[in-house]
Structure formats: structure tokens, C-alpha cells
Amino acid sequence: MATFISVPLKKTSEVDLAKPLCKFIQVTYPGAGDEQAEYCRAAEELNKLRKSATGRPLDKHESSLETVLRYYDQLCSIEPKFPFTESQLCLTFTWKDAFDKGSLFGGSVKLGLPSLGYEKSCVLFNIGALASQIASEQNLDNDEGLKAAAKFYQLASGAFAHLKDTVLSAVSREPTVDISPDTVGTLSLIMLAQAQEVFFLKATRDKMKDAIIAKLANQAADYYGDAFKQCQYKDTLPKEVFPVLAAKHCIMQANAEYHQSTLAKQQKKFGEEIGRLQHAAELVKTVASRYDEYVNVKDLADKINRALTAAKKDNDFIYHDRVPDVKDLDPIGKGTLVKPTPITVPLSQKFADLFEKMVPLAVQQSMNLYNQRKADLVNRSIAQMREATNLANGALASLNLPAAIEDMSGDTVPQSILQKSKAVTEQGGVQTIDQLIKDLPELLQRNKEILDESLRMLDEEETTDNDLRKKFTERWQRTPSNELYKPLRAEGGNFRNILDKAVGADRLVKERYQSHRDTISILSKPEADLNASIPSANPAKTLQGSEVVNVLKSLLANLEEVKKEREKLESDIKSVSFDMTTTFLMALAQDGAINEEAISVTELDRIYGSSTQKVQENLKKQEQLLNSIQGSHQEFSKMKQSNSEANLREEVLKNLAVAYDNFIELVANLREGTKFYNELTEILVKFQNKCSDIVFARKTERDELLKDLQQSIARLPSAPAIPLPAYQSGPESGGTPVSSAASSGPTPAPRTVFQPKPQPPARPPPPSIPATGASVTPQHMMPGSNTAPSTTPVPTPVAPGPSPTPSQAQGPPYPTYQGYPGYYGMPMPVGYNPYMYGQQTLPFMYQAPGQAPYPGPQQPGYPYPQQNYYPQQ
């Protein structure tokens, strides 16, 4: 059976996709209702799909591959719709190296990144790996199996090739070795070579022409050779792959030569036939001698040798054709029938986008920018109209209009003042303003506390990250918190500025209210009390019905119409709504990108252009009316009789008109401020959730990184200096001192010393026999000794511990250093010496190294008779 290479799957840690996605959906689509619930259900389905595709062992079957393909398609679908970044939707995906077996203490190499591109790359690697495993399980003895194997090998090649082109842009850090461009590029070539080999097997099975089969085999040999060259000097793939690639290269080349030799035979080129068969036999012989453990080539070798023997026989007896050298043979052509399958989404035939109704993130961002531009335009137009209204009211109040032309009797409240008083009373008067002002500090304090808590979480996590970075230095390889939190801190600083400006605005409102509070209180009184608060006067009643008064009344009526027209314009501008989603989607589909500014400006001009023009015309019309009113009022003032009482009454009426305008504006400002603080609370709560999520994700990433660092530290080799025991380092034992031993190299571990058994008394020392064969002189009779013979036995040095067991029966280990006479083993009576070990098994002629020869006669001075030697049978 042919040997094919399959790639192991990458393994991953469990990640909960549902919770963070649902939280993002709830924040991004707060008022979506049914759509929000549908998106959350889709997030749950996506989480289940990931568990099915990556969280369990996968069968080598097409159904398992279909599950992984569907998950990859969903990842590609959600990538433009969710902001998977460290600062927004932070999810850490952790994957292990597929080729790393791990170690006893450290585990296998793994990498965790908060990047959806990294998740896609790892899933795509598993697509290629699973496709290679499914292909290797196919039955190559039938056409269906051959076709399926070729299809899956080409899919695997395409997956690895696509990964080679995209992995560096998808992964922000250096990837693990298994998904590095060099590794996946080699894997892609290996899969392509195996697909080509499958086509060669099919061509052989279908008995196609030898010329075609030779080209297919030669192309496969080239693929295998290129793959071997790419990885032979790199430690990226398992070592078992290299001999298989080398063997496959030789086998495919041998097959190409064999079929080309058949073609040469058909063309009656018998010398070329023999030359190619000889080359093929040499290639197969090389495989059999070097790679027999991995690939079995016995059948191929037998087939080639039979053909070579027959060809030589025919050529020797019949043709006598010259056999060319291998280098003189024409090169065999190449024919490829395979190519990497392009990776185009969707890969699965059963793909259904779980978030089909959700627009891409680029469209969402464009919509946000468009809504901001729209809000700026609308607010600018409304602000112009409201400013014009305030200007008109202020001008009329300064002229005491329309109260001046209504107050002809001098002792009643003008009708315009009564209307203003009624409006103030209906809105609650000063009590309403007091309550609104009282609520503002509580709302402000609540927002400050939320913002402070959010920034405190960032500060604590950043401090921890800085401490760990100082501790582990360059090994702490993750994005620094101070860089990662820059957008959040900028956003928090913006919120702080907004709150500071809001505090300033609140102070101005309070000061303004205090300056007009008394006059607003007068307007809040009933009509009788209001009339009593206004001084009476006797203005000239001759102006009633005069032309000046009639002109002023007409101009004031026109001005009132202009105000009402502005109110209608404001309502119309606020009510305009236009969904730009379709426009942005079309732009994204056509151009692949969205030029938001150009599209938004064009659409806003089309939608609001006419309303903006009407606003400008209204403002010009009011300006003309105010000029006319001022001119007519001057004529009215000249004609009206003036006195101190009339001037005082007119001043009070002016103040009441001004107080009414300020009351309306103060109530509007305070209610708008209350609404602003409540809306800001919601925004700050979202900001707090965002900070909490990213801090939690960073803590999880920190724990994973700490665990990896601990494992990597555990994997590091360590060789601490072990001190020598006393019995090895003491000078009396002849050992090496500790200092010299430590300087010479690593100290070995101490041997285990067992307690010795009780030993018998030391036997007497044997006599010392000189090497020249002279007689032995006892120590007390040596020349130069002045001591008398003594019966006291000479003490024999005894080793401090039991002697080690000899490696072979050759007697005790005698010292042989210079100046110490060698001992020899003297046989003793067996019955007398029960402690004898080994001597009786040695013949006399045996002489251990360093020993004196055994003497023949009885040794002088030895108290025991010499015994005969009885060899054992």
C-alpha cells in the first residue's frame, strides 16, 4: 500500500463566543427588539458550531470536514460585522502547535491572541489537515477512492497555500511554527505532490499510454523533490517526513524511468530502455537501502529487475544496442493534472449566514458618522432659528411691545402680559425651576462616579501589567496596557471635559435664574396680584386707533407669523428620516470600500437642502420686520406723552416680558440638562462595561501568559552544583577536594551506600614477592630494621566500606600504582578459608594485570602449606 503523509489537527482551548457577542449586540442595537433577540440566538448557534468544529475529536469523514468548513464560513461572515479587537470586542483564541508533542513539565507550545484573523488561520489549517487525513483514508483500489483522494489533497494544498499568503497579515505577532509561511508552504507542496501521485496511480490503473504515465510520475517526483529541498534544512516538520519525501522522490522518478523505458522499447531504442531501467533499479535500490523502514518498494523493485533482466538478455543476444549513460538520456517530459483548490467563501455547500440581517461593521461606522453629520446639520439649523426667536423676543421686550400699544388705560394688565403669566403658572412657576436645579447635582455626581470607577479599573490593570513587564522583561510579550488603553483614556478624557463643561453651564443657568427669580415670581401670581404689582399711569389715550399703532400691530402680527413658520420648519427638519444603510451597502459592494464623507454630504444636501434654504429666507424676513418695527416704535414714542409714572410702568412691563422669555429658556435649558445627564449616564454605563470587558479579557490573557511562562521556565534545563559527600572529598580517602572537583566539571550525584553486612576478621596479609623472583623477607627481618622479631601481627589497612562487586571473577582489585608491590591470590584450603571468593576458579597460569607471577614452590615465611589446585569441572 502506498505511503501518504497526513497532517495532525491543531487543538484549541474553549472560548465562549455567545456572552461577549450578545453583550455587544445589546449595546450596539439597544432598540432593535426582535432583531436583537434574533442576533443573540445566532450568537448561541455560532458558539455551538465552534464547539462542534474545534472542541471535540473529529472523524476522518467528509461530514466532519463539512462542519469545519461551515464554521470557517461563519467566521468570514462575522469578521466585517463585529469589531474583534483588543480595545472593543476582546476575545482571546488559544491554539496549540500541531507538530509540538510537548514535554513532561512544560506541555506543548501554544499561542493565544485576541484576533479573529488568528482564529480563521488556525481553522483553515485544520481544514487542510483534516482534508489530508480524509484523503489518506481513501481506498485507492477503485476509481471513487482515487477521485476523492485527489480532491481532498488538492483542497488541503489550497488551504495551506491560502494560509501562506494571509497568515502574517492576519496575525499581529510571530505565529507558531506550524502555521508559519515556510511550514504551510511546504505542506501545500506535499499535498500537491500526493494529489499528483494519486493521478499517476489512476493513470496506471486505467492503463493509459506509457508516455502520459511517465510525465505524470516525473511531475510528482519534481513536487516531492521541491518539498524535500524546502524543509531539509529547517526544523519545522516532524523528522519522519524527510525520509518519506526523499523516498517518494526516488520512487516517482523510478516509475517515470520505467514507463519511459517501455516507450523506448516500443520505439526500438533498446539501449535507452536498458539505461532507463538501470537508472530506475539504482533509484529503487537506494530507497530499499536507506528508507526501507518507511516505504516498501519490493514489488516495484521486482518489476523493474525483471524488465531489466529481459531487456539485457534480448539486447545481448539479438540487438547489441549501445547502452547510453544516464546523463546522456533525453529528459522526460512533465504533465500536471493538479492545482491547489482556491479558497473562496463560502466553502460549505450548506452555508447559511447566521447574521445575514446584520450590516457589516464598515456600514455601521459609516452610519454612525452619517448620523453625526445629520445631527450637526439639524442642530445648527435649529440653533439658528431659536437664536432668531430669542433675538426677536428680546427686541420686542426692550421696546415693551406689544404691551405698550395694548396698555392704553394705564390701570389694567396688558393682554400679552396676562398670556405670559398664564403660561408661567401652567408650567409650575419658580417651583418647577427650583426642583430641576435641585436634581442636577445628583445626576452629575452619579455620572462622575461611573466615570471614576471605569478609569480606576484601567489604572489597576495597567499597574499590574507594568509590574509584570518589569519582572519578566522581554518575555512579557503582549501589547502594553498603556498603549492598548489610549483610545479608552481619550474617550474617558472626552467624557471628563463634557462633565466639566456641563458644570459650567449649570452654574450660568443658576446665576441667570437668580437675577430673574423675583420677576418670574410676579408672573406666577394670580391676575389681581399681578395687576397690583404693576404701577398705574395715565398715558395719552389719543393714540388709540392712530395709524402708527395700527402699523405696529400689523408688523407684530407678521412677526408672529414668521415665528410660527420657524416652529413648523423646526418640526419638519426634526421629522426627516432617511435610511442610508442601502446606499452604503451598495457602495461597499461596488467599490469594496465606503467614501462616507462624499456620500453623506451629497445625501444630506439632497434631503435638507430645501429646508436649509427656507430657514435662511425666514431669518431675512424677520430681520426686515424688526427694522420696520423699530422705526414705527420711534414714531410711537414721539407721539406718546411721557411722565415718570408712565416710564416706571413701562419699565415693569418690560421686565415682566423679559422674565417670561428667561423663564421659558431656563425651563428648556434645565430639562435639556436633565435629559443630557440621563443620556450621558447610559453612555457612561456602556463605557464602564467596555472597560470592564477589556480588563477582564486582559486578566484572562495575563493568567494564560503567566501559565505559559511558568511552563517555559519548567522546560529550561537546570544543572545545580551538588556538593560532594564527606567520604568523597576527604583527603584520607584519596578523593579530589571539592574545589578542584567543582572546577573540573559538573559534580556527579552521590552513589547509594548500603549498610554492610557484618564482616569476618581481616585475614593475614600475604607476603610481598618481588618481581625478580627473590625470596620474600618479612617486614621485621628486612635489612636496616633494628626491631626484634615480634609476634604482634602487623595491622592490615581495611577499606572504610564494603568492596564493590567485581565485574568478573579475577580476584580482589589490587592497587597497581608505583611503589606498591602487587598482591597475588594464594589458594588456600577450602575447608579452612570459608571467605575465599574467586581464587579457586582461576588456574595458576592466569595472571591478573599488575600481579606478580604465581610461584611454584612453597613460599618461605608463609605459615600454611601450599595446597594443590583442583580445577572445577
Side-chain angles (χ1 to χ4, degrees), residues 718-737:
S718 58
I722 302 176
L724 283 173
Y727 73 88
Q728 291 185 2
S729 57
E732 66 276 5
S733 62
T736 307

Side-chain angles (χ1 to χ4, degrees), residues 280-436:
E282 291 173 359
L283 291 169
V284 172
K285 184 178 179 181
T286 301
V287 174
S289 62
R290 296 183 181 179
Y291 313 116
D292 186 53
E293 180 183 353
Y294 303 96
V295 180
N296 185 6
V297 291
K298 185 177 183 303
D299 294 340
L300 179 60
D302 292 344
K303 181 171 69 173
I304 293 174
N305 289 330
R306 285 196 302 269
L308 179 59
T309 302
K312 283 184 176 180
K313 182 178 179 180
D314 291 344
N315 191 54
D316 291 342
F317 286 96
I318 302 174
Y319 307 113
H320 303 290
D321 199 1
R322 186 183 67 85
V323 178
D325 193 33
V326 175
K327 62 184 179 181
D328 296 331
L329 295 174
D330 293 334
I332 304 173
K334 300 174 186 176
T336 179
L337 295 178
V338 296
K339 63 179 180 179
T341 302
I343 302 300
T344 55
V345 179
L347 295 173
S348 171
Q349 298 178 355
K350 301 179 182 178
F351 170 69
D353 190 356
L354 295 174
F355 299 91
E356 183 177 5
K357 295 181 180 180
M358 183 181 290
V359 296
L361 187 62
V363 176
Q364 292 181 26
Q365 294 172 345
S366 299
M367 285 294 299
N368 292 335
L369 293 174
Y370 166 77
N371 290 330
Q372 185 175 353
R373 293 179 189 276
K374 173 185 172 182
D376 291 342
L377 175 62
V378 171
N379 291 336
R380 189 164 56 249
S381 299
I382 293 175
Q384 286 180 341
M385 291 188 288
R386 290 183 178 179
E387 185 179 354
T389 299
N390 294 333
L391 177 64
N393 292 336
L396 294 180
S398 64
L399 300 176
N400 192 25
L401 292 175
I405 58 176
E406 294 173 352
D407 186 28
M408 295 300 178
S409 62
D411 55 0
T412 59
V413 181
Q415 188 63 29
S416 60
I417 299 298
L418 287 176
Q419 292 176 355
K420 290 178 171 59
S421 175
K422 183 179 179 181
V424 171
T425 305
E426 287 178 352
Q427 296 189 39
V430 292
Q431 291 81 6
T432 299
I433 297 180
D434 290 338
Q435 185 62 41
L436 290 172

Side-chain angles (χ1 to χ4, degrees), residues 91-316:
L91 278 172
T92 301
F93 300 99
T94 303
W95 288 82
K96 296 181 180 179
D97 192 316
F99 300 118
D100 186 76
K101 299 295 191 303
S103 62
L104 180 61
F105 299 103
S108 59
V109 176
K110 60 183 179 181
L111 176 64
L113 292 177
S115 166
L116 190 69
Y118 176 59
E119 173 85 348
K120 280 176 52 184
S121 299
C122 295
V123 173
L124 185 59
F125 180 92
N126 274 5
I127 289 174
L130 186 56
S132 72
Q133 295 178 12
I134 295 173
S136 64
E137 292 293 316
Q138 298 300 316
N139 183 7
L140 302 182
D141 294 333
N142 56 61
D143 287 346
E144 290 76 12
L146 289 168
K147 291 178 181 178
K151 181 182 76 171
F152 288 120
Y153 278 133
Q154 290 179 88
L155 173 60
S157 178
F160 292 131
H162 186 79
L163 189 56
K164 175 187 177 183
D165 297 334
T166 59
V167 64
L168 292 182
S169 60
V171 180
S172 57
R173 284 170 50 185
E174 184 70 21
T176 49
V177 176
D178 55 346
I179 61 172
S180 63
D182 290 343
T183 303
V184 293
T186 303
L187 291 177
S188 175
L189 195 53
I190 292 173
M191 296 300 113
L192 200 64
Q194 296 187 153
Q196 181 76 10
E197 182 181 354
V198 170
F199 274 105
F200 159 76
L201 295 176
K202 188 176 188 310
T204 305
R205 175 184 174 83
D206 294 344
K207 298 181 180 179
M208 298 181 70
K209 294 181 179 180
D210 291 291
I212 296 176
I213 298 176
K215 290 179 180 180
L216 294 177
N218 195 34
Q219 182 65 67
D222 267 14
Y223 284 148
Y224 279 120
D226 292 343
F228 181 78
K229 290 176 183 177
Q230 286 187 10
C231 64
Q232 65 176 337
Y233 299 116
K234 300 175 183 176
D235 190 17
T236 56
L237 294 177
K239 295 181 179 179
E240 297 82 6
V241 174
F242 306 149
V244 174
L245 293 178
K248 284 295 191 76
H249 170 69
C250 295
I251 291 171
M252 286 294 103
Q253 195 171 355
N255 275 298
E257 295 289 357
Y258 173 78
H259 287 280
Q260 192 70 18
S261 72
T262 306
L263 180 63
K265 181 179 180 181
Q266 295 171 1
Q267 297 174 351
K268 300 187 182 304
K269 299 178 180 178
F270 304 106
E272 180 183 345
E273 176 192 8
I274 295 173
R276 293 191 182 280
L277 287 173
Q278 286 177 343
H279 187 207
E282 291 173 359
L283 291 169
V284 172
K285 184 178 179 181
T286 301
V287 174
S289 62
R290 296 183 181 179
Y291 313 116
D292 186 53
E293 180 183 353
Y294 303 96
V295 180
N296 185 6
V297 291
K298 185 177 183 303
D299 294 340
L300 179 60
D302 292 344
K303 181 171 69 173
I304 293 174
N305 289 330
R306 285 196 302 269
L308 179 59
T309 302
K312 283 184 176 180
K313 182 178 179 180
D314 291 344
N315 191 54
D316 291 342

Side-chain angles (χ1 to χ4, degrees), residues 729-772:
S729 57
E732 66 276 5
S733 62
T736 307
V738 175
S739 59
S740 62
S743 62
S744 61
T747 306
R751 296 172 296 176
T752 303
V753 180
F754 299 97
Q755 291 296 330
K757 296 180 180 180
Q759 298 293 323
R763 61 182 178 179
S768 176
I769 305 300
T772 58

Side-chain angles (χ1 to χ4, degrees), residues 587-648:
L588 183 63
Q590 291 176 359
D591 305 332
I594 301 176
N595 188 351
E596 181 274 330
E597 183 177 1
I599 297 174
S600 297
V601 170
T602 303
E603 289 297 321
L604 289 173
D605 184 63
R606 182 182 65 83
I607 297 170
Y608 293 99
S610 59
S611 298
T612 305
Q613 186 177 358
K614 289 179 181 180
V615 169
Q616 298 302 322
E617 292 175 356
N618 181 278
L619 296 179
K620 289 181 181 179
K621 192 174 182 180
Q622 174 180 293
E623 185 179 357
Q624 294 173 358
L625 285 172
L626 288 176
N627 291 332
S628 301
I629 289 172
Q630 288 178 350
S632 299
H633 183 268
Q634 289 178 357
E635 294 181 11
F636 174 77
S637 298
K638 290 178 182 179
M639 297 173 61
K640 190 173 80 169
Q641 297 177 0
S642 61
N643 53 53
S644 59
E645 294 179 356
N647 292 337
L648 180 60

